[in-house]
Amino acid sequence: MGVATGEFEVACAVPPAKMFQAAVLDADELFPKIMSQGIKSAELIEGDGGAGSIRKINLVEGNFCMKHKVDALDKESFVYNYTIFEGDTLTGKFEKIVYETKYVSSPDGGSIFKATVSFHTLAGFDVPAEKLVNTAKEKATVMVKTVEAYLQAN
């Protein structure tokens, strides 16, 4: 077992408070609508949405799902940390995937999505950290840009 960790950022034109509201607090309702090609549904299955809560995300492709636990949620500083601990995303590769995320203000009035991701791999599964982090960044960029476009249009 090993741990591959990396950081990345994604800039957008929408202020942090608005991005955090849509991408984190309203995600269960919003993502299946605006990211329907990948997310079938999302639901809180345990807790009130804060730290310790469990969320289940059902993916379109292959009828897959994943569960993640909210590690931290700070509405004032726009921090959302969570751990993917169960689901098809992990099968045969990872024990868990941990995300530490935050939206911060950018000089142009928009925001920057900052993330640290740690892939806790199972024995026998070795992929370069750079490849794992780049894949995470690609997926996060799609999410940020999709939410940004939705908020700008509505």
Side-chain angles (χ1 to χ4, degrees):
M1 183 174 134
V3 179
T5 301
E7 298 177 351
F8 59 87
E9 296 181 353
V10 181
C12 75
V14 177
K18 201 168 183 181
M19 282 299 294
F20 188 80
Q21 181 68 43
V24 175
L25 302 178
D26 297 337
D28 289 353
E29 296 81 32
L30 185 62
F31 283 11
K33 292 177 189 173
I34 68 171
M35 299 179 74
S36 60
Q37 73 283 3
I39 298 175
K40 187 186 310 182
S41 65
E43 62 182 312
L44 190 63
I45 59 172
E46 187 177 309
D48 61 3
S53 297
I54 306 290
R55 181 164 274 110
K56 180 180 179 186
I57 296 102
N58 295 300
L59 306 174
V60 172
E61 187 177 327
N63 249 352
F64 293 146
C65 73
M66 66 178 159
K67 290 183 183 175
H68 75 250
K69 179 181 177 195
V70 178
D71 299 318
L73 176 68
D74 186 332
K75 296 176 186 178
E76 260 105 80
S77 60
F78 312 122
V79 169
Y80 184 60
N81 300 342
Y82 62 96
T83 299
I84 299 171
F85 68 92
E86 185 179 303
D88 302 294
T89 305
L90 303 177
T91 304
K93 301 172 188 170
F94 307 104
E95 175 192 345
K96 62 184 175 181
I97 304 170
V98 179
Y99 283 87
E100 297 176 1
T101 70
K102 182 176 186 168
Y103 286 90
V104 298
S105 296
S106 62
D108 62 3
S111 60
I112 301 169
F113 174 77
K114 294 185 172 202
T116 301
V117 59
S118 299
F119 295 87
H120 297 253
T121 60
L122 294 173
F125 182 74
D126 293 317
V127 174
E130 183 178 331
K131 182 176 180 179
L132 293 171
V133 173
N134 284 341
T135 299
K137 181 179 181 179
E138 289 170 11
K139 291 179 180 187
T141 300
V142 169
M143 181 273 299
V144 168
K145 294 302 181 181
T146 301
V147 172
E148 175 187 42
Y150 173 80
L151 292 173
Q152 288 176 323
N154 294 290

